[in-house]
Amino acid sequence: VQLQASGGGLVPTGGSLRLSCVVSGRSLSRSAVAWFRQAPGKEREFVAASGLSTVYADSANGRFTISRDNAKNMVYLHMSSLKPEDTAVYYCTIRDSQVVVRLSSMYAAWGQGTQVTVSS
C-alpha cells in the first residue's frame, strides 16, 4: 500500500487549505483512513478519520472536514480558520478495517507527509 499526500503550503491565520492523499494498493471501500500531524518537537497526533464513522480531534472539530472518493482512491482534508498552532507535517494513513481509531499504531501504511505552515 502506498499513500501520497499533497496540498500543503504557507497560509495566513484564518486561511484555508485542502490536502489530498492518493492511495494505491488497497481499495478505500474496505478501509478506514485518517489524517495525523506532527509539529517540530512534538509527537504525531490524530486529526481526523473516516470509516464506519467520522471522528475529529477536538482541535479540528468544526474547522476541518475529512472526505473521501472511494472510486478515485482519494482522501481529502479541508482545513479552514487555520491557526499558527496548526503548523505541522500532515500525514495520511490507512488501516485494514473500516473501524475508526485514533491511535497511530493501529494504522498500517503512511504517506510521506505534506508541510502546512500557518503564519501569524
Side-chain angles (χ1 to χ4, degrees), residues 11 13 17 24 26 40-41 49 51 53 57 59 72 85 88 99 104:
V11 294
T13 296
L17 275 177
S24 58
R26 180 174 174 87
S53 59
S59 59
K72 295 182 179 180
E85 51 263 43
V99 176
S104 60

Side-chain angles (χ1 to χ4, degrees), residues 46-65:
F46 172 78
V47 176
S50 169
L52 292 176
S53 59
T54 301
V55 178
Y56 294 93
D58 289 344
S59 59
N61 204 17
R63 300 187 299 126
F64 294 3
T65 302

